[in-house]
Amino acid sequence: MTVWALGLNHHTAPLDLRGRFAFALDQIAPALHGLRQSHARHPEAAILSTCNRTEVYCASDKPQIDHTLDWLAQAGHVPADALREHTYVLQDGQAARHAFRVASGLDSMVLGEPQILGQMKSAVRAAEDAGALGRTLNQLFQRSFAVAKQVRSSTEIGAHSISMAAAAVRLAGNLFEDLSQIKVLFVGAGEMIELAATHFAARDPATIAIANRTLERGEKLATQFGGEVMRLADLPARLHEFDAVVSCTASTLPIIGLGAVERALKKRRHRPIFMVDLAVPRDIEPEVRQLNDVYLYTVDDLAQVVQTGHANRQAAVEQAEVIIDAGVQSFLHWLDQRDPVTGVVPLIQQLHSQADEWRALELLRARRRLARGEDVEAVLEALSRGLTQKMLHGAMAELHTADPEHRQRTTQAIERLFLRGARTSPGSRP
């Protein structure tokens, strides 16, 4: 089996291009079905899609990288040649190293951020539920989770990170003198919004409001932070009430448009609005950034805020890379053991199969003899003799070869395999 990963992330592709390849969780199963059907060999497959990356992991007896790229390009309605400029392709050891680094938070915008591990686990569950996760990819991801756990427990990789939510609060503090005097609106009710609301709530803002498509989830989050809840449909009419807006939904189209923000500014008499768009694809139309009195930040903008403490981070990264190196070598060894040509596992499986065939044949003969009423001891003796002869037949035939050199090698092999721990004959070599 060979493993390959094809992806684009915040290092290789701009935000708007990444948005074209964002898969919501309920889209993963049909996407995986389409991906596997587009490949002649129906490979194992998993899709990891976050605000910072979309990655396709596959495993098959032969790599089908061009087919994977063509499928992804079609899914995002982008020409394959244009997509190729923004993607990376990794195979076997490099693919494993990348997966381990992603799981450990080494490839994130926020070094060491913990959310990516949960996102990878969700991607694996989705692939498993879709019937697309085979033994090889499952082994890759389970090892990536183990490596990530070791990295987090053995290094300080997470101690030097500033989350996106914390970075948003820091930027808001640069704009507003006193965050306890501002009104904050959170659009969405997912994990990222909950994290952002937690950070803002610690600064005790004057008002917290949650706008969500479904009120039930919004009410739960609003209750947690002592805020109010509103329907998403009411957002344009009430946008002017808020000094800060943080949005992160799974919408495929912007939900806060240029016109709505312009009307809000007019009602606010051009008092500034701080806006953070954590969604991919975007929740807030990019043209909003051009308005006076609007301070709009995307996930890519926040990345610049979190890059602090370089020396401490570098030491932690070096420690983490040592752990990842060991994990990669272990995975490659596991993969090599299963190679149909050079690996020992297929040979072991064949050996077990042959032994089972011999055993079944001798048992069948023994049962027939017992059914005819033959003596039990005689039947058992014949069964054991038959098994012994079958197991030794190949070795005895090899010993009778006319080639002296081949016979000597066979003798040494038989001594290691059959006479280990036993007293060797005078003519044999220990």
Side-chain angles (χ1 to χ4, degrees):
M1 296 291 283
T2 186
V3 177
W4 68 95
L6 169 72
L8 65 162
N9 62 16
H10 56 285
H11 296 302
T12 67
L15 175 60
D16 288 333
L17 183 62
R18 298 203 306 272
R20 287 178 172 269
F21 299 95
F23 293 88
L25 202 56
D26 59 356
Q27 297 175 317
I28 295 294
L32 286 171
H33 178 74
L35 167 63
R36 300 184 74 210
Q37 291 302 312
S38 71
H39 288 63
R41 298 176 180 272
H42 306 314
E44 301 177 27
I47 297 174
L48 173 64
S49 183
T50 74
C51 61
N52 293 332
R53 70 185 67 249
T54 293
E55 295 177 342
V56 180
Y57 292 85
C58 295
S60 183
D61 57 342
K62 291 184 178 180
Q64 304 170 68
I65 295 169
D66 287 340
H67 285 86
T68 308
L69 178 69
D70 290 341
W71 174 85
L72 186 60
Q74 186 176 9
H77 306 290
V78 172
D81 289 341
L83 176 61
R84 186 176 283 107
E85 297 178 7
H86 297 280
T87 57
Y88 41 90
V89 177
L90 305 164
Q91 195 170 337
D92 294 333
Q94 290 183 335
R97 182 181 305 279
H98 180 75
F100 295 170
R101 295 185 85 254
V102 170
S104 302
L106 267 65
D107 195 59
S108 299
M109 273 187 176
V110 182
L111 181 70
E113 58 94 4
Q115 287 87 2
I116 186 60
L117 185 57
Q119 292 165 332
M120 285 190 76
K121 289 181 177 180
S122 295
V124 171
R125 283 194 297 269
E128 190 172 19
D129 292 343
L133 192 72
R135 185 177 184 183
T136 300
L137 279 191
N138 184 62
Q139 188 72 206
L140 171 71
F141 286 118
Q142 294 306 320
R143 287 171 181 262
S144 72
F145 301 153
V147 166
K149 181 178 180 181
Q150 186 177 357
V151 166
R152 294 182 188 281
S153 62
S154 304
T155 75
E156 295 185 356
I157 199 70
H160 309 294
S161 67
I162 303 173
S163 71
M164 290 289 183
V169 173
R170 175 181 292 186
L171 288 171
N174 293 338
L175 179 62
F176 302 107
E177 292 184 4
D178 187 357
L179 294 186
S180 67
Q181 301 299 313
I182 70 170
K183 298 180 179 180
V184 187
L185 171 64
F186 297 98
V187 184
E191 181 181 352
M192 186 60 74
I193 287 295
E194 183 175 359
L195 185 62
T198 301
H199 281 271
F200 271 94
R203 306 296 288 270
D204 195 25
T207 300
I208 287 180
I210 308 292
N212 197 49
R213 199 174 302 278
T214 56
L215 282 182
E216 182 180 357
R217 172 61 179 159
E219 286 174 348
K220 181 179 179 181
L221 203 58
T223 301
Q224 180 178 340
F225 297 106
E228 64 168 309
V229 65
M230 72 169 74
R231 295 184 185 277
L232 204 56
D234 297 332
L235 190 152
R238 295 193 57 188
L239 187 59
H240 67 281
E241 299 176 19
F242 300 96
D243 306 295
V245 179
V246 181
S247 186
C248 187
T249 74
S251 175
T252 57
L253 296 172
I255 57 177
I256 302 177
L258 176 63
V261 179
E262 286 177 327
R263 289 190 294 272
L265 284 173
K266 187 175 181 179
K267 290 181 180 180
R268 290 174 61 84
R269 297 181 180 179
H270 295 279
R271 283 182 292 118
I273 302 179
F274 173 79
M275 308 186 82
V276 177
D277 188 351
L278 296 174
V280 178
R282 297 176 189 256
D283 277 346
I284 303 173
E285 287 187 342
E287 292 80 6
V288 169
R289 185 191 294 270
Q290 307 304 321
L291 296 175
N292 293 328
D293 305 312
V294 172
Y295 298 83
L296 172 61
Y297 297 89
T298 66
V299 287
D300 288 0
D301 298 323
L302 294 180
Q304 300 177 15
V305 180
V306 303
Q307 301 305 317
T308 58
H310 177 76
N312 289 336
R313 289 203 319 276
Q314 190 58 38
V317 167
E318 290 174 0
Q319 293 173 338
E321 294 287 9
V322 172
I323 296 171
I324 289 170
D325 282 342
V328 170
Q329 294 306 314
S330 177
F331 175 71
L332 289 177
H333 176 71
W334 180 88
L335 208 58
D336 184 61
Q337 292 286 298
R338 281 146 186 81
D339 187 281
V341 178
T342 62
V344 299
V345 170
L347 179 61
I348 291 172
Q349 292 172 339
Q350 292 175 22
L351 191 59
H352 278 296
S353 177
Q354 180 66 79
D356 286 341
E357 183 180 328
W358 289 336
R359 182 176 59 84
L361 180 61
E362 292 303 321
L363 278 174
L364 178 63
R365 289 175 176 172
R367 290 190 178 105
R368 286 175 177 173
R369 294 182 65 178
L370 288 173
R372 292 197 297 265
E374 295 187 28
D375 180 67
V376 173
E377 289 297 326
V379 171
L380 290 175
E381 181 68 23
L383 184 150
S384 64
R385 189 182 304 111
L387 278 176
T388 301
Q389 289 174 347
K390 283 181 169 58
M391 294 189 68
L392 294 179
H393 173 74
M396 299 300 291
E398 291 296 314
L399 282 175
H400 288 90
T401 181
D403 183 355
E405 184 178 349
H406 179 77
R407 188 166 58 247
Q408 183 180 16
R409 289 197 303 269
T410 299
T411 299
Q412 294 171 351
I414 289 174
E415 289 173 355
R416 289 196 305 271
L417 294 173
F418 296 101
L419 303 177
R420 181 180 298 179
R423 180 178 296 177
T424 57
S425 61
S428 63
R429 296 178 59 181

